[in-house]
Amino acid sequence: FVARRATGVQNGPSPLHLQRRLLLCGQRPINLVVDASNYVMLELGQPTAFYDDRDLPQRSLKVTLANENEIAKTLDGAEYPLEVGDLLIRNATHQIVGIAGTKGGWVGRIQEDSSDVVLEAAHFDPIMIRKTSGRLGLKTDAAYRFERGTDPNLPLWAANRIMELLERHGGASVVQGFARAGTLYDPPLLSLDPQYCRDLLGMDIHTAEIEGNLARLGCEIIDEGGLLRVKPPTWRVDLQIPEDLIEEVARLHGFHELPETLPPLLEHSDNMGADLEAQKRNRLKTALTGLGFSEVVSYSFSNDEEASNARAELPNIKLKNPLTADRTGMRTALYPSLLNAAVTNSAEKSLLLFELGRVFPLSGEVEHLGVLMRGTLAPSSWTKGLEGGFFVFKALLESFAAKLGATLELRPLETNQSAVHLHPGICGNVFWNGQNAGVIGAVHPAVAQKWGLKGETFILELTLPLANQSWTFADPSRQPAALRDLAIIAPLGVAYSEMLELIHTHGGPSLESVDVFDVYQGIPIAEGSRSVGVKLTYRSSHTLTSEEIEHDFLELIGQIKAAGLGIREA
């Protein structure tokens, strides 16, 4: 820590050539004192700070730690709450004149009539500066440089250079001498074996070239019987281990000279199956993209307003130092991100989107799959029902499940479950391979209005990992199939899943599959009911006779009627 003092400074505008250079570097000229500090920071890489001598009783500066619940007022008038451990600069009366390495204080700031000034040039611990500047959100030029490491022995040189500028351009009288705390940094010696350097790079570099390249960096080198003892220069704070030196040798020799070699692939029991989760994700992505969906990659950050507009759980994990005002917490669901993407692409006539990502609800961090569909998918098709809508979305998802060898079934929401972001009449639970995995439905009209989405938008959100399918193998049957058609009359409140469960339970051992081919409402079906036509496929290990099929078929009809449902005769 170095301090120097100057009196009689004419703190007006700095010379035009100095202002021009600052402007070319993106700095705004202010006055000579501030400009000289910024100029040398850009010239040498050493941040410095000026204080008005009138605010320094006894001409004393102290480097101390912050106290509990202390507030620092900076030179722009802003106030920042400090924590114990933050590094501060104080005057003799214990007033804060600066947050060390980050920003100057309100007390001690340079003003228009400042003529007697004290300059501080110091080297601060990068980790302490990074923690304080990050927590306070003070990303200043000084903090940027200190965080990445500066030359520990540069402060005095920088202070002398700034005093020279004040004397030359501001008529200042520089007080002889300086105050300094701390000792000069002496870099430790690093041991470098030239043969290890050659082995690591996989190329033959002569020891003389290794020494020459390191000398070009400013390193001091002592050859101790073939082992090189290297002292890096103080300005190369990144040279900490022998491998750092080897990297510089390769850079100066030319990275293009490095030979191309394949790394050895060594199998180890600890690595077996390490990529299984990645493979599962890739299979999900491949299946969805194959159906025309596009992947969305969005931030894991959200905010209370976004979550509230989407009727999602508010963020439970808040960020201490959010990068922007609209990214203040960790998201609790994927569908707000998909709605954002839909808004961004609102000019598109149709959208098929999906996202795989982590969410952070109150129950803990989990991975989700979100899918969105909106718009007209096949406007020119002559076949009705392909334009868009919930059943098209459902069909795409069933195809997605089929590609993965899984079954996807929709059921009404459980009584203890709510999905306030979905339309109450168009929503349900998704059962993947028989296990409840998430919810599906149309976006609630109020939510759609909040986001400015016109027309129906459908979303699905599943919790990963999805349940695995229990695989079995059977030879394909050589026997012919027997088909029967059946039309079930049921109230509108009876879900097709209930009918399907009834059919599979009482269909008989020879029932192979059930497929819907017709849904009808109207005369002669009573109001409030509908007719669901299904095709039943029977097959066995032998050729089925009409009597066997009729027995199972009539038994099924009897059970359907016993359950309170009807059979359409014509």
Side-chain angles (χ1 to χ4, degrees):
F1 187 103
V2 172
R4 295 210 64 178
R5 182 168 173 264
T7 61
V9 180
Q10 299 174 15
N11 191 22
S14 53
L16 289 178
H17 76 275
L18 196 147
Q19 293 188 40
R20 178 177 177 274
R21 286 189 172 186
L22 288 174
L23 287 168
L24 290 173
C25 291
Q27 292 279 349
R28 180 173 61 89
I30 298 175
N31 54 53
L32 178 61
V33 172
V34 177
D35 291 354
S37 177
N38 289 335
Y39 186 88
V40 173
M41 178 185 68
L42 296 170
E43 183 182 47
L44 301 179
Q46 172 64 50
T48 56
F50 271 106
Y51 305 107
D52 193 316
D53 188 61
R54 294 171 296 185
D55 291 328
L56 300 180
Q58 306 171 25
R59 298 197 183 108
S60 173
L61 286 172
K62 299 178 180 179
V63 183
T64 66
L65 296 177
N67 299 318
E68 192 172 355
N69 299 324
E70 200 167 9
I71 302 293
K73 186 176 181 180
T74 55
L75 52 82
D76 57 358
E79 295 185 346
Y80 295 91
L82 302 174
E83 289 186 359
V84 176
D86 289 338
L87 203 60
L88 300 175
I89 312 296
R90 302 182 190 268
N91 60 16
T93 59
H94 213 61
Q95 291 177 297
I96 298 174
V97 296
I99 302 175
T102 304
K103 199 164 188 177
W106 180 261
V107 176
R109 70 191 185 281
I110 299 300
Q111 303 178 61
E112 292 183 3
D113 60 344
S114 298
S115 60
D116 296 351
V117 296
V118 173
L119 171 66
E120 164 221 309
H123 176 76
F124 296 110
D125 179 65
I127 296 176
M128 294 183 71
I129 301 302
R130 182 168 64 249
K131 285 182 177 180
T132 299
S133 66
R135 182 174 51 78
L136 299 179
L138 279 172
K139 296 298 182 181
T140 60
D141 288 331
Y144 180 88
R145 285 162 174 78
F146 280 127
E147 288 173 5
R148 286 155 179 79
T150 58
D151 185 348
N153 294 344
L154 191 58
L156 181 57
W157 189 8
N160 292 339
R161 171 66 170 145
I162 292 176
M163 287 293 134
E164 177 195 2
L165 293 176
L166 294 186
E167 188 177 47
R168 180 187 302 175
H169 302 298
S173 298
V174 179
V175 177
Q176 294 297 314
F178 55 87
R180 179 167 63 188
T183 57
L184 292 177
Y185 175 67
D186 186 24
L189 287 172
L190 302 177
S191 297
L192 178 61
D193 184 351
Q195 188 57 46
Y196 174 63
C197 177
R198 288 187 279 268
D199 292 343
L200 191 63
L201 297 178
M203 59 193 303
D204 189 21
I205 301 180
H206 294 297
T207 302
E209 183 182 352
I210 294 175
E211 293 185 29
N213 288 343
L214 294 177
R216 289 166 61 187
L217 300 176
C219 296
E220 299 177 15
I221 305 161
I222 303 172
D223 191 338
E224 296 182 347
L227 181 67
L228 303 181
R229 302 282 284 173
V230 182
K231 177 183 282 190
T234 57
W235 60 83
R236 288 302 302 266
V237 294
D238 58 321
L239 300 181
Q240 300 287 336
I241 57 177
E243 286 74 14
D244 293 334
L245 300 175
I246 295 173
E247 181 183 1
E248 291 300 305
V249 170
R251 182 176 64 84
L252 294 175
H253 180 80
F255 284 136
H256 62 283
E257 297 288 348
L258 290 173
E260 295 181 1
T261 56
L262 289 175
L265 300 177
L266 303 177
E267 292 186 7
H268 194 277
S269 58
D270 292 344
N271 298 329
M272 299 300 290
D275 60 340
L276 286 180
E277 292 302 318
Q279 290 181 11
K280 289 179 181 179
R281 293 190 196 96
N282 288 337
R283 283 197 291 269
L284 292 176
K285 293 180 181 182
T286 301
L288 284 167
T289 52
L291 291 167
F293 288 86
S294 299
E295 184 178 7
V296 172
V297 179
S298 57
Y299 289 108
S300 297
F301 310 128
S302 183
N303 60 77
D304 288 354
E305 182 182 6
E306 180 180 85
S308 178
N309 288 341
R311 296 188 177 181
E313 181 184 338
L314 297 181
N316 306 293
I317 302 175
K318 301 293 184 180
L319 302 180
K320 286 187 176 181
N321 299 296
L323 298 177
T324 58
D326 59 340
R327 305 292 175 197
T328 57
M330 304 302 291
R331 64 185 177 187
T332 58
L334 284 185
Y335 68 86
S337 302
L338 291 171
L339 293 177
N340 264 329
V343 171
T344 302
N345 296 277
S346 57
E348 299 292 329
K349 293 182 179 179
S350 62
L351 280 178
L352 290 172
L353 305 175
F354 77 93
E355 180 173 11
L356 272 166
R358 295 194 173 273
V359 297
F360 305 82
L362 194 58
S363 57
E365 179 182 351
V366 289
E367 191 171 21
H368 277 193
L369 167 66
V371 185
L372 178 144
M373 186 195 85
R374 71 183 310 268
T376 303
L377 299 183
S380 60
S381 174
W382 58 268
T383 306
K384 292 183 179 181
L386 293 184
E387 296 86 356
F390 178 76
F391 291 107
V392 172
F393 188 47
K394 175 175 176 285
L396 285 170
L397 296 174
E398 288 174 339
S399 298
F400 162 61
K403 281 176 173 285
L404 299 172
T407 59
L408 183 142
E409 182 185 348
L410 306 188
R411 301 179 190 174
L413 287 177
E414 296 177 354
T415 54
N416 62 342
Q417 188 176 13
S418 63
V420 294
H421 62 290
L422 298 178
H423 191 298
I426 314 175
C427 63
N429 281 122
V430 178
F431 281 77
W432 185 278
N433 286 335
Q435 292 189 17
N436 192 347
V439 293
I440 184 175
V443 174
H444 196 287
V447 175
Q449 185 178 9
K450 280 276 189 181
W451 291 78
L453 293 172
K454 298 179 180 178
E456 287 186 310
T457 301
F458 304 97
I459 54 176
L460 161 84
E461 186 150 347
L462 303 179
T463 301
L464 301 181
L466 297 172
N468 291 324
Q469 178 71 285
S470 55
W471 293 96
T472 58
F473 176 79
D475 288 323
S477 176
R478 297 174 179 271
Q479 305 302 326
L483 306 178
R484 293 290 186 274
D485 290 344
L486 181 65
I488 304 172
I489 299 175
L492 297 178
V494 177
Y496 171 67
S497 59
E498 298 178 37
M499 303 182 209
L500 190 61
E501 184 177 359
L502 185 64
I503 294 172
H504 279 299
T505 303
H506 303 286
S510 301
L511 181 63
E512 183 180 71
S513 63
V514 182
D515 296 298
V516 177
F517 67 85
D518 179 60
V519 178
Y520 173 75
Q521 285 180 252
I523 300 174
I525 308 300
E527 188 175 351
S529 296
R530 72 187 186 285
S531 169
V532 179
V534 294
K535 185 181 295 294
L536 308 178
T537 302
Y538 291 91
R539 197 192 306 266
S540 184
S541 58
H542 62 277
T543 301
L544 292 170
T545 64
S546 297
E547 291 77 12
E548 290 177 298
I549 298 171
E550 282 302 310
H551 176 271
D552 290 346
F553 189 61
L554 293 175
E555 177 66 23
L556 174 61
I557 291 175
Q559 291 294 335
I560 291 174
K561 290 180 178 179
L565 306 181
I567 300 297
R568 185 177 175 185
E569 304 295 342

